[in-house]
Amino acid sequence: MIATFDEYKKEYQKSIENPEVFWDGVANEFSWKQKWTKTLEWNFEEPKVKWFIDGKFNITENAIDRHLPAKANKTAFIWEPNSVDAEHRIITYQNLYDEVCKLANTLKSLGIKKGDRVCIYMPMIPEAVFAMLACARIGAVHSVVFAGFSASALSGRIQDSDCKIVLTTDGAYRGVKDIPIKAVVDEALEVCLSVKNVLVYKHTNTPITLQDGRDLIWQDVVSKAANTCEPELMDSEDVLFILYTSGSTGKPKGVVHTCGGYMVYTCYTFQNVFQMDSGTEVERSRNLFWCTADVGWITGHSYIAYGPLLAGVSAVLFEGVPTFPDAGRFWKVIDKHKVTHFYTAPTAIRALEAAGLDFVKPYNLDSLKVLGSVGEPINEEAWHWYNKNIGKEKCPIVDTWWQTETGGILISSLAGVTPSKPSFATLPMPGIQPLLVDEKGNEILGNNVEGNLCIKFPWPSMIRTTYGDHDRCKKEYFSTYPGLYFTGDGCRRDENGFYRITGRVDDVMNISGHRIGTAEVESAINAHADVVESAVVGYPHDIKGQGIYAYVIVPSTTKDHETLKKEIIAEVNKIIGPIAKPDKIQIVSGLPKTRSGKIMRRILRKVAEGDVSNLGDTSTLLDPTVVDEIVKGKL
Ligand code: WT7
């Protein structure tokens, strides 16, 4: 582990001068059944990236078995339920082994084999992590779908990767809500022919209907399965999982991650960024990590499930939401379990800041040592509030920049080791070679500059392909600037060479740290029978970071606009899910288009931002008068 700024500089230098030797050293820390014969093969043209070639191993052996028997009684997870009155659960590394093996055997008995795709649509309960690891144990590919997505979004993802089985629960608790998850799965499966079985974990006792021959109750079958299961021997480049994420065009794409590089990189970044292994043995034994993300997103995959388990630490798994039963819940949980390392999103920080300090004061937060932020740029105001009121100005803050496609953290300070600066992700991790380019793709050299963020050299956990459509992977990430991986983010490099991410430069919005493509929301809105056309942009939102602003053309109908707006929101809920619902809908009679029919989003963005004084050149518009109407009707 890197322990000083000087060590970081040396490690970084080594990783750039001789990446293969550097990553060999990191990968050697893991348990392999067969060592790799070649460290790296790559080109960013096809693109093709392979790490630790011919290496054979199983990631679950490294995340579980490797810690046994030494850590058999060590807590892997403390599960904190949604309700404050319900009992928390402790899952030790031995429990984890038993549960993962039992579930792995169950999946096998249902005919799931290496390479088969398994959809996991579950709330934040330990079984969701067991499910991911059980898949990995037998070499099946998991595709976790966030349980807040609608039936239609779920079926799209199941169909895209032809999942054979869905693992789910009867219901899910989220704050005051009790969501009938199984009913959503039933609806989704009406159009999914590939699914042969549904395994339902009974969690809320919500009434469900079981389809004969297809649906099974988890507890009934898993309890009968054996609690040992030989791990499937996997190749470094075998697929570990698919995770869908929004892009700038069309439907979500399945980002593919493979076993070897993902294991090495998530563990390495987890250990170095959060520094849970520093301090005395007693201090280390008390360390408790808590990442508040959902396993439905990459943050949950890399820094709830895989990273912490590979590192053999103890972590909290939280079912609830930050504001239930009140805005003190996070702080209450930190106090209750004595969390030492806390990792959350700026949107949560802003929401809890807005609720006021009375929700923080009742709790003792002295256990905290390190704070983290992820998902969107953290504004200075939120950074300072977090630092002062939660970290009491004694906890380093790591602002970790990365993406679903990067698998792990690429730019971040190392807690207490490298300098941090409010609203800056700061420096690249060893092995990461960022560069800024201008619109034409020319590298912008020097400091105090701004441009589009690209990465010029592969790292172990980078995206390998988009499932079933390699061309899409090439187009999205490797074609804008040939020879480079393009992140889609804008970025500034300050006088010290520290990086500050300024936000997306493509048609992707970041709503409460969740990525949503404008095209996806538009197509959902357009599904409403009365909608002729729509254009969606993000606008600054105090809590969410960005809100969704929709301009919608409807013919002059008899329906009043308020009813129509409600129906449009319902349509988006149905097609994508509540996270994508527009915050503002402005009914317009036309959209600003160029003569070639392209919508000028720049203008729509400016209006939504409330910056109408300087709309730039509108002379190329087909009909400039629509701009006046849009400005007048701004919400
Ligand atoms: C996009 C990736 C992987 C984390 C969860 C989101 C934005 C993420 C930061 C940060 C500024 C950030 C970027 C990125 N983003 N972390 N620390 N500072 N922006 O993963 O859904 O794949 O979204 O989130 O715009 O491209 P994701």
Side-chain angles (χ1 to χ4, degrees), residues 57 87 96 251 261 316 324 476 489 558 597:
F57 73 108
E87 289 279 319
L96 186 65
K251 59 176 189 147
V316 171
F324 176 78
E476 284 263 351
D489 281 320
T558 48

Side-chain angles (χ1 to χ4, degrees), residues 45 94 97 115 149 210 225 332 346 398 486 496 548 600 634:
E45 278 73 48
Q94 184 64 49
Y97 177 90
F149 278 119
L210 291 181
K332 190 185 181 76
V398 290
F486 177 43
N496 299 313
I548 301 180
M600 283 184 86
K634 186 202 166 310

